[in-house]
Amino acid sequence: MKKEKVIVIGAGLCGLYTAFLLQKKGIEVLILEANTRIGGRIKTITGATAVTMEMGATWFGNQHRHLLEVLNTLELPYFRQHTKGISLFETMSFVPPQKFEISDSEEPSFRIVGGTTSLINRLVSEIGQQHIKTQTRITGIKEQNNQLIVTDSSGNIYSADKVISTIPPNLLVNSVLFEPKLPDNFTQLAKKTHTWMGESIKFAMEYKTPFWKQNNYSGTLFSQASIIQEMYDHSTADNSGFALKGFLNGGTVVLSFEERKEKVIAQLTTFFGSEATDYVAYYETVWREEPLTFQPYEQLVLAHQNNGHSLFRTPLLNEKLYVSGAETATQNPGYMDGAIYAAKTIASQF
């Protein structure tokens, strides 16, 4: 059993950036990731037409200065979200949607050129793939002889001076056995901490042409009555690939993939005409069904509830276990900016 200096649990943005910062300090790091893929709640898929579509974290703004600083340092370009043209707002299913235009002076949203996964890929190349182990789900963390013994679901054992968990707190306390047990006030807090993106259903419709733009629609849509609650143009930065992307009503989790798809096409056809039916493919990610991200709550938890709570700042198990991740950030918790800020906060303690 090789002893590691620091083990980071989770290869999402926070885990990767934490490792990146610790390596810069000359600290040896091993990242253990439960999933087959790296990126956590950043999940970019590429369609048949080579359009990139975000099934996870997507947008950021000028207020997200920690993320912007990282993008600028790594020289990763980003571009402004397209909002030109007519946008739609549907209040009731039997009333035509209201039309409005988004002013150019509105605070802009940005997307990363080549997809959010560009940031993940860049961090992986900086850290080195050899320091990241995927398909490694942690089931136990035990304090022993002034170190932490970490066990995965295959029975592999790792030991480290310090462990940093970046998985959502509710998932952490419900999926990992700790010895000795974590303080009860911490466990109860973690169970009542909202997992960002957990209830989201994201969808994308890939098209050969941006027919909405050609008909002077922005692709922006808000609805209180239909399956698509929020939608935006998702064309690539160079306008070579075209898609519409957004969020579906969370309650439709009870429907099948085909049923949701049918409703999405019906809504788009109502708003944009028959051209909407001429799509390349429909994609979706139901985050509630991602067991390596989402763990159902024991009681009602509201959006952002307990995100950034002060209790997350205290290391556990004799100051050897640090609980981090986007949910623990005191600035912009849940967002990519929060993930970066949480990483900076933890790394500064080493």
Side-chain angles (χ1 to χ4, degrees), residues 201 225-228 248-265 267 282 284-286 288-289:
I201 305 176
S226 306
I227 186 166
I228 302 171
L248 302 184
N249 181 316
T252 62
V253 69
V254 298
L255 302 178
S256 69
F257 172 91
E258 284 303 326
E259 287 170 325
R260 282 191 295 268
K261 176 181 170 180
E262 214 169 278
K263 285 182 182 295
V264 166
I265 295 162
Q267 187 178 350
Y282 168 82
E284 66 173 34
T285 293
V286 182
R288 197 182 273 276
E289 291 169 4

Side-chain angles (χ1 to χ4, degrees), residues 188-342:
Q188 291 312 311
L189 171 74
K191 287 180 178 180
K192 293 182 199 131
T193 299
H194 180 247
T195 299
W196 196 243
M197 198 96 79
E199 299 80 7
S200 297
I201 305 176
K202 283 208 157 180
F203 84 98
M205 278 295 233
E206 180 182 4
Y207 288 99
K208 283 198 181 74
T209 62
F211 66 87
W212 55 96
K213 286 186 191 172
Q214 291 157 3
N215 297 331
N216 194 33
Y217 283 101
S218 64
T220 302
L221 157 69
F222 300 102
S223 173
Q224 297 170 339
S226 306
I227 186 166
I228 302 171
Q229 291 190 321
E230 215 179 297
M231 185 181 80
Y232 304 91
D233 171 86
H234 214 62
S235 306
T236 54
D238 63 0
N239 265 316
S240 64
F242 312 103
L244 291 167
K245 194 213 78 167
F247 297 85
L248 302 184
N249 181 316
T252 62
V253 69
V254 298
L255 302 178
S256 69
F257 172 91
E258 284 303 326
E259 287 170 325
R260 282 191 295 268
K261 176 181 170 180
E262 214 169 278
K263 285 182 182 295
V264 166
I265 295 162
Q267 187 178 350
L268 292 177
T269 308
T270 301
F271 291 167
F272 298 124
S274 61
E275 284 175 292
T277 61
D278 190 20
Y279 60 94
V280 176
Y282 168 82
Y283 308 89
E284 66 173 34
T285 293
V286 182
W287 283 98
R288 197 182 273 276
E289 291 169 4
E290 300 276 331
L292 301 176
T293 298
F294 184 75
Q295 165 80 27
Y297 309 106
E298 289 175 4
Q299 59 192 77
L300 178 69
V301 169
L302 304 172
H304 282 307
Q305 189 170 323
N306 290 321
N307 285 180
H309 195 284
S310 59
L311 205 54
F312 291 126
R313 294 203 283 284
T314 309
L316 303 161
L317 301 180
N318 287 317
E319 305 202 342
K320 288 190 274 293
L321 173 68
Y322 294 78
V323 176
S324 186
E327 280 73 19
T328 69
T330 52
Q331 293 184 20
N332 295 310
Y335 297 101
M336 289 189 281
D337 193 68
I340 296 288
Y341 186 70

Side-chain angles (χ1 to χ4, degrees), residues 19 23 28-32 126-133:
Q23 279 185 343
E28 204 179 310
V29 188
L30 174 66
I31 304 175
L32 301 177
E126 292 278 340
I127 293 160
Q129 189 80 49
Q130 70 274 24
H131 300 294
I132 306 169
K133 194 167 182 266

Side-chain angles (χ1 to χ4, degrees), residues 26-304:
I27 298 168
E28 204 179 310
V29 188
L30 174 66
I31 304 175
L32 301 177
E33 167 57 54
N35 214 328
T36 51
R37 65 175 187 86
I38 291 170
R41 284 167 279 180
I42 290 175
K43 183 183 176 188
T44 308
I45 57 174
T46 305
T49 63
V51 65
T52 52
M53 292 161 285
E54 305 298 346
M55 293 289 114
T58 309
W59 297 280
F60 52 96
N62 287 320
Q63 74 274 30
H64 295 146
R65 58 189 181 85
H66 303 288
L67 176 62
L68 289 170
E69 183 193 334
V70 170
L71 294 175
N72 293 331
T73 303
L74 297 175
E75 296 179 345
L76 289 168
Y78 51 93
F79 65 107
R80 189 174 177 152
Q81 169 66 42
H82 173 82
T83 53
K84 279 189 173 63
I86 300 162
S87 298
L88 301 171
F89 178 52
E90 182 188 36
T91 50
M92 290 173 277
S93 56
F94 50 86
V95 177
Q98 296 164 22
K99 295 181 175 183
F100 67 99
E101 298 220 10
I102 296 167
S103 160
D104 264 356
S105 63
E106 289 246 341
E107 194 60 44
S109 280
F110 303 106
R111 284 161 48 207
I112 298 171
V113 173
T116 318
T117 199
S118 303
L119 172 56
I120 296 297
N121 294 341
R122 182 60 191 278
L123 286 172
V124 169
S125 72
E126 292 278 340
I127 293 160
Q129 189 80 49
Q130 70 274 24
H131 300 294
I132 306 169
K133 194 167 182 266
T134 56
Q135 299 181 67
T136 307
R137 187 169 62 81
I138 304 310
T139 54
I141 297 176
K142 178 182 181 179
E143 188 186 7
Q144 190 177 303
N145 302 332
N146 204 31
Q147 58 182 355
L148 293 183
I149 308 297
V150 177
T151 310
D152 71 18
S153 57
S154 305
N156 298 313
I157 292 170
Y158 313 82
S159 77
D161 293 328
K162 311 253 182 176
V163 172
I164 302 166
S165 168
T166 67
I167 61 178
N170 182 41
L171 180 63
L172 175 70
V173 296
N174 278 293
S175 60
V176 179
L177 282 173
F178 293 93
E179 202 180 317
K181 281 186 171 164
L182 298 183
D184 194 52
N185 63 340
F186 178 87
T187 303
Q188 291 312 311
L189 171 74
K191 287 180 178 180
K192 293 182 199 131
T193 299
H194 180 247
T195 299
W196 196 243
M197 198 96 79
E199 299 80 7
S200 297
I201 305 176
K202 283 208 157 180
F203 84 98
M205 278 295 233
E206 180 182 4
Y207 288 99
K208 283 198 181 74
T209 62
F211 66 87
W212 55 96
K213 286 186 191 172
Q214 291 157 3
N215 297 331
N216 194 33
Y217 283 101
S218 64
T220 302
L221 157 69
F222 300 102
S223 173
Q224 297 170 339
S226 306
I227 186 166
I228 302 171
Q229 291 190 321
E230 215 179 297
M231 185 181 80
Y232 304 91
D233 171 86
H234 214 62
S235 306
T236 54
D238 63 0
N239 265 316
S240 64
F242 312 103
L244 291 167
K245 194 213 78 167
F247 297 85
L248 302 184
N249 181 316
T252 62
V253 69
V254 298
L255 302 178
S256 69
F257 172 91
E258 284 303 326
E259 287 170 325
R260 282 191 295 268
K261 176 181 170 180
E262 214 169 278
K263 285 182 182 295
V264 166
I265 295 162
Q267 187 178 350
L268 292 177
T269 308
T270 301
F271 291 167
F272 298 124
S274 61
E275 284 175 292
T277 61
D278 190 20
Y279 60 94
V280 176
Y282 168 82
Y283 308 89
E284 66 173 34
T285 293
V286 182
W287 283 98
R288 197 182 273 276
E289 291 169 4
E290 300 276 331
L292 301 176
T293 298
F294 184 75
Q295 165 80 27
Y297 309 106
E298 289 175 4
Q299 59 192 77
L300 178 69
V301 169
L302 304 172
H304 282 307

